[in-house]
Amino acid sequence: DQQVKQNSPSLSVQEGRISILNCDYTNSMFDYFLWYKKYPAEGPTFLISISSIKDKNEDGRFTVFLNKSAKHLSLHIVPSQPGDSAVYFCAASDRGAAGNKLTFGGGTRVLVKP
Amino acid sequence: DVKVTQSSRYLVKRTGEKVFLECVQDMDHENMFWYRQDPGLGLRLIYFSYDVKMKEKGDIPEGYSVSREKKERFSLILESASTNQTSMYLCASSSGQTIFSGNTIYFGEGSWLTVV
């Protein structure tokens, strides 16, 4: 049973437009959420994170929103660029647990068209 | 510059072979992890270790074992490889001394394993 789910396996968007990626989680113990970007044959690269005490975190073109009551978070990329084409993973962690392990969603493949 | 190095990028092994995937980190990190990535399933945790000689099962430990004899090295072992273990394997490490954040966990570049 997946504790972190990304229900959209793929997303296609025009360059300059907004990309919105969604993620849902079920485990109430998760208190820290992250987004990773991954190119083929490379390791994931950290993008942005948010603590459960916040509802929004912004870093340049990337903004993450957290709705704790709905157990839902989203990543907004504005404006989208062709270099953003990659697979994006949502991840969650219970920072009180030993080891700081991450639980990942299934990923969303984003294609930004020029 | 932090490095998590996975010794083999691409491997092809036969069913039933014993396979070792090695991971070395140079940041003196306490925590180390092994994940596998499969389409639609994301990254799933196989095993992790938060200290030398310590290991904890992740979400999908069946068919795998690990070894952590030294702090910098974490090995994933497939005792008898099977075709359903064909996947990309990712190693990661993080410090147990700092408050965990996205900037404190580091991934290797991955090892593509094909079992035929």
Side-chain angles (χ1 to χ4, degrees):
Chain A
D1 187 29
Q2 282 192 292
Q3 297 184 69
V4 178
K5 283 186 180 178
Q6 295 175 251
N7 290 318
S8 298
S10 64
L11 172 70
S12 182
V13 65
Q14 209 64 37
E15 181 179 5
R17 298 292 192 105
I18 183 171
S19 295
I20 300 177
L21 290 76
N22 294 303
C23 178
D24 298 294
Y25 63 96
T26 57
N27 189 338
S28 299
M29 298 301 293
F30 290 147
D31 61 356
Y32 188 67
F33 304 90
L34 309 89
W35 285 93
Y36 282 86
K37 177 180 181 180
K38 188 178 182 299
Y39 294 115
E42 292 184 13
T45 304
F46 169 70
L47 264 181
I48 192 168
S49 62
I50 188 166
S51 163
S52 60
I53 61 173
K54 294 187 174 183
D55 55 17
K56 177 183 174 181
N57 188 26
E58 192 171 352
D59 184 2
R61 296 186 297 114
F62 302 93
T63 303
V64 56
F65 296 91
L66 174 62
N67 181 333
K68 274 185 65 178
S69 60
K71 293 190 175 69
H72 176 84
L73 62 153
S74 62
L75 173 69
H76 291 206
I77 307 173
V78 184
S80 299
Q81 299 173 354
D84 296 331
S85 297
V87 178
Y88 290 78
F89 291 101
C90 169
S93 177
D94 171 6
R95 289 203 273 191
N100 293 325
K101 62 177 185 172
L102 296 175
T103 301
F104 285 84
T108 297
R109 184 177 301 277
V110 173
L111 175 64
V112 180
K113 298 178 180 177
Chain B
D1 205 21
V2 173
K3 283 207 83 171
V4 177
T5 303
Q6 295 182 228
S7 55
S8 303
R9 292 300 311 274
Y10 301 95
L11 305 94
V12 180
K13 297 292 182 181
R14 293 194 180 279
T15 301
E17 274 193 78
K18 191 168 186 175
V19 181
F20 292 87
L21 298 179
E22 306 284 348
C23 176
V24 177
Q25 49 93 5
D26 64 0
M27 276 298 290
D28 201 37
H29 282 167
E30 289 76 17
N31 304 322
M32 295 190 74
F33 310 84
W34 275 106
Y35 289 88
R36 64 177 278 179
Q37 182 195 350
D38 300 288
L41 298 176
L43 280 70
R44 293 179 293 166
L45 182 64
I46 304 171
Y47 268 97
F48 69 102
S49 167
Y50 51 84
D51 202 352
V52 176
K53 296 192 186 292
M54 302 297 290
K55 58 186 178 184
E56 292 279 344
K57 291 180 180 179
D59 300 316
I60 51 164
E62 297 79 17
Y64 303 94
S65 62
V66 290
S67 172
R68 189 145 181 225
E69 296 296 319
K70 293 184 178 181
K71 193 175 186 181
E72 68 271 18
R73 187 179 296 269
F74 192 36
S75 303
L76 179 69
I77 303 156
L78 288 67
E79 294 290 342
S80 177
S82 63
T83 54
N84 64 10
Q85 292 178 309
T86 292
S87 186
M88 183 183 195
Y89 291 86
L90 285 157
C91 176
S93 73
S94 70
S95 172
Q97 303 299 322
T98 57
I99 296 174
F100 174 62
S101 74
N103 286 319
T104 62
I105 183 166
Y106 300 90
F107 282 87
E109 292 190 321
S111 298
W112 284 100
L113 172 66
T114 301
V115 183
V116 297

